Amino acid sequence: QVQLVESGGGLVQAVGSLRLSCAASGRTFSRYAMGWFRQTPGKEREFVAAISWSGSDTDYAYSLKGRFTISRDNAKNTVYLQMNSLKPEDTAVYFCAASTVITIATMAGHYNYWGQGTQVTVSS
């Protein structure tokens, strides 16, 4: 069983930055592909970024490339999402997810563990 706990969300003004963290339990964190998704009320969960177990491969939603950066520290069992130049439309609940079945994944269905989410609100 894998438990994921997100932190770092909050209220920020537009063009500001936030760094989200996701701490994972378990001794095999380095074997998990990790991802970040976000969701707003009434909409489906949206892919944000993904990183392979080693950190050598990353993938991003096209519209977020250049503003968001995913990284991981396997020694700390933690994955990060650095978000820069934030916009009001980035307001959402952000979830981290772990996949034990695929090397890197952009689809929510490929992830088998999810955190509870952290709220990010960007004011204009």
Side-chain angles (χ1 to χ4, degrees), residues 41-90:
K43 293 189 176 181
E44 291 189 357
R45 201 161 290 189
E46 174 190 21
F47 169 71
V48 174
I51 189 166
S52 62
W53 64 271
S54 67
S56 60
D57 294 311
T58 58
D59 201 356
Y60 296 91
Y62 182 79
S63 62
L64 301 177
K65 281 185 178 180
R67 292 197 299 123
F68 288 17
T69 303
I70 189 171
S71 61
R72 67 190 296 160
D73 185 338
N74 286 344
K76 295 183 178 179
N77 280 16
T78 301
V79 63
Y80 305 98
L81 183 68
Q82 178 68 43
M83 305 185 294
N84 298 328
S85 302
L86 283 163
K87 305 175 182 180
E89 51 263 44
D90 293 319

